[in-house]
Amino acid sequence: MPAQVPPPAYAQPVLRILDAKTGETVPAVSARRALTRVEVHASGYDLTALRVLLTTDLLLRALELGGTPVLPLLTADRHQAELHAAATSLGIRPFEDGRDLAAGLGEAQVVHVTAAGGTVDRAGVTVAVAPADGPDAGVLGTLDDPAALRLALLDAPRGTAVHLGAGALDAAGRRLGRLRQSVAAWARSPSRPVPEKVRGRLRDAWEDDLDVPGVLAVLRWMEDQPEIPAGARFETCAYADRLLALDLTRDLGRAA
């Protein structure tokens, strides 16, 4: 009988997040493939609220990539319509209304996502998100590409406050445009699988307390590795975009 080969480490349910209630890093799910309820708590409509929504979306995507079914809920005292619309613009998965589905769902784990300093008097893990400031949240409706705001808010550790100064969104848009152009160029080469060392580095980053800046750093590092074929670079970006949701393949087929 051939020897049993264990699955690679990145295939294991090892996503860990910092629980703001205890100050300890804990598994995001108690059991793989068991329903996990992820509830976002928004207290207003500003950049901090948008950052809380984005963090929740990352958590949902990371859990689904690990094979865990999720139920996303939104609990907000006001601005529900604006928050739902903003979520759609930012490429965030749709939320159910938490007030209507708050209990009795048969979930194995509950994770709450809230702004830092907020309190959630319910059982489960609490993920705290540092504040963000800069333009009014209404700026989202003026952007040709809302993914620029998504990138700008994702490009810092979750526990670090973000200030989007003048020109920050334009800079994020240019950076996103350059990466999309690179992805489109790489797509013209024969496809190659994502190198295992690159896949492992990506998973190590996002399974370490949703370290999205670390994921973005892996993509930048990959660009400087001449031994990685262009086709593999394309597949790597497409794979990472399942978490990032920056529409990195948008420019495929466009004229150079």
Side-chain angles (χ1 to χ4, degrees):
M1 179 179 296
Q4 296 295 318
V5 178
Y10 60 77
Q12 303 303 312
V14 294
L15 173 62
R16 298 180 66 82
I17 53 178
L18 180 65
D19 185 352
K21 286 183 177 179
T22 65
E24 298 180 354
T25 301
V26 299
V29 295
S30 55
R32 191 182 184 191
R33 303 193 185 283
L35 178 64
T36 295
R37 173 157 56 100
V38 179
E39 186 168 355
V40 55
H41 301 263
S43 59
Y45 182 60
D46 54 17
L47 285 185
T48 297
L50 297 187
R51 194 181 189 197
V52 171
L53 292 179
L54 281 171
T55 299
T56 307
D57 186 54
L58 291 171
L59 177 59
L60 295 170
R61 291 173 181 275
L63 291 175
E64 288 177 338
L65 282 167
T68 297
V70 294
L71 176 63
L73 303 180
L74 169 63
T75 296
D77 294 330
R78 58 190 188 281
H79 300 298
Q80 289 94 336
E82 293 92 337
L83 291 167
H84 281 293
T88 299
S89 296
L90 289 168
I92 294 171
R93 304 292 180 87
F95 295 101
E96 301 286 349
D97 287 323
R99 296 297 183 185
D100 299 331
L101 298 170
L105 301 171
E107 65 275 359
Q109 174 75 300
V110 180
V111 181
H112 303 278
V113 186
T114 186
T119 58
V120 179
D121 189 20
R122 299 182 190 176
V125 175
T126 297
V127 177
V129 182
D133 63 32
D136 184 88
V139 72
L140 186 57
T142 71
L143 298 175
D144 293 332
D145 185 2
L149 178 58
R150 183 177 178 107
L151 175 59
L153 290 174
L154 294 180
D155 200 23
R158 187 183 71 247
T160 301
V162 169
H163 174 70
L164 299 183
L169 295 182
D170 288 341
R174 290 192 297 271
R175 178 180 167 195
L176 184 55
R178 288 192 296 269
L179 181 54
R180 285 171 173 166
Q181 288 175 1
S182 294
V183 171
W186 296 332
R188 292 193 286 270
S189 296
S191 178
R192 294 289 185 271
V194 179
E196 291 302 324
K197 68 175 182 179
V198 178
R199 186 190 300 268
R201 290 181 69 152
L202 289 171
R203 295 300 293 252
D204 286 346
W206 78 58
E207 289 175 347
D208 181 13
D209 199 30
L210 294 174
D211 180 11
V212 176
V215 172
L216 294 169
V218 172
L219 297 186
R220 291 193 296 271
W221 165 84
M222 179 190 67
E223 292 190 62
D224 295 328
Q225 306 306 306
E227 74 278 9
I228 299 178
R233 298 184 187 202
F234 166 76
E235 295 295 347
T236 296
C237 289
Y239 173 69
D241 208 36
R242 295 172 64 186
L243 177 81
L244 299 172
L246 293 171
D247 202 8
L248 296 181
T249 60
R250 191 188 71 173
D251 290 347
L252 265 65
R254 296 189 181 184

